[in-house]
Amino acid sequence: MSGETDLTLLLKNMKPALQPQTYVFATIPEPASLDLAPLQPLATFRESEGLTLIVEEERAIAAGLTRSGAMRQITLTVHSSLEAVGLTAAISAALTANGISANVVAAFHHDHVFVGAGDAERALRVLEALT
């Protein structure tokens, strides 16, 4: 497995970066007849209730999707291993202590933290303080 596993190094080198887009988590029923290409989802996850999509807010509104509130994405730019232990817990604890809700998505190279759009700048400062 590639990527860093040492929690101390992950926190020291995570360099959180706030992305400019505003996203929402949206849901659609089984997508067999829906073309997802126009939505350009950042991520998808299949659940028993339907397909969850992370999409830019404007695209979700235009498509009339059931969606969450506006969220911003903070990418932890360190290459974290999927086998690393404690990174999600550490960032969640710091955000929790500051009253910030977070949804963490782990991808192959990086972890991505989605926070309410109104909390984004504050969340970035909290995460930067962990480094």
Side-chain angles (χ1 to χ4, degrees):
M1 179 64 60
S2 64
E4 183 59 61
T5 59
D6 183 276
L7 180 59
T8 301
L9 292 175
L10 285 167
L11 292 172
K12 177 181 175 184
N13 298 315
M14 69 180 179
K15 295 181 181 66
L18 181 60
Q19 306 304 314
Q21 301 88 345
T22 301
Y23 291 99
V24 294
F25 282 62
T27 186
I28 58 173
E30 187 60 35
S33 63
L34 181 64
D35 179 13
L36 297 180
L39 293 172
Q40 297 180 0
L42 180 65
T44 63
F45 195 91
R46 188 172 311 281
E47 300 180 280
S48 61
E49 298 87 354
L51 188 68
T52 295
L53 311 167
I54 302 174
V55 298
E56 288 187 27
E57 182 179 31
E58 291 176 3
R59 292 181 189 279
I61 290 170
L65 299 179
T66 300
R67 62 192 181 278
S68 68
M71 304 187 98
R72 295 283 302 279
Q73 175 189 359
I74 300 172
T75 298
L76 307 182
T77 62
V78 66
H79 183 179
S80 54
S81 170
L82 289 166
E83 296 176 350
V85 175
L87 180 59
T88 301
I91 62 174
S92 295
L95 293 170
T96 297
N98 285 274
I100 300 171
S101 174
N103 294 279
V104 180
V105 175
F108 188 85
H109 294 283
H110 307 286
D111 291 270
H112 308 272
V113 185
F114 291 85
V115 298
D119 289 329
E121 295 290 340
R122 190 164 57 97
L124 181 63
R125 288 190 302 273
V126 168
L127 295 176
E128 287 172 336
L130 286 178
T131 64

